[in-house]
Amino acid sequence: MLEGKAVIEDTDMPLKMQAGALASASRALDLFEGFDCISIAAYIKKEFDKMYGGGWQCVVGTNFSCFITHFKGTFIYFALGTLNFLIFNPTHSFSC
């Protein structure tokens, strides 16, 4: 596990949801090889869909750019180890 080593670059998520994002990423890194970004992203997306309803998107990698639209309170971008994680929901907002 890489707990305590995450660096949140930008977010508008509530703190509880942020903690869930970091925990999901850490679990995914325990389950999959660090180079298997597709499996890591799929795991995190499915966890967020289960916890907060469908529509979540997750991007994982070492070098990517993006320009997205998301609902307020559903965005986080962070680094954990050598990977960067972008999690957001473009379809609806949540109350936590």
Side-chain angles (χ1 to χ4, degrees):
M1 271 202 180
L2 296 170
E3 289 180 32
K5 297 183 182 179
V7 177
I8 297 175
E9 300 289 341
D10 195 10
T11 188
D12 67 357
M13 280 184 178
L15 289 175
K16 184 177 178 183
M17 194 181 284
Q18 289 178 39
L22 300 180
S24 291
S26 183
R27 283 191 298 275
L29 291 173
D30 285 343
L31 294 170
F32 304 102
E33 298 291 332
F35 59 83
D36 190 1
C37 295
I38 293 172
S39 294
I40 293 168
Y43 177 87
I44 295 167
K45 185 238 186 302
K46 289 173 187 173
E47 281 210 336
F48 263 66
D49 282 348
K50 277 191 270 183
M51 290 187 291
Y52 303 108
W56 286 90
Q57 304 298 308
C58 182
V59 180
V60 177
T62 57
N63 186 13
F64 60 87
S65 299
C66 65
F67 189 83
I68 64 164
T69 299
H70 71 283
F71 276 89
K72 184 177 180 181
T74 68
F75 168 85
I76 189 168
Y77 176 65
F78 62 96
L80 184 57
T82 60
L83 293 176
N84 297 309
F85 297 79
L86 172 65
I87 305 168
F88 66 99
N89 193 314
T91 60
H92 60 282
S93 59
F94 302 89
S95 59
C96 293

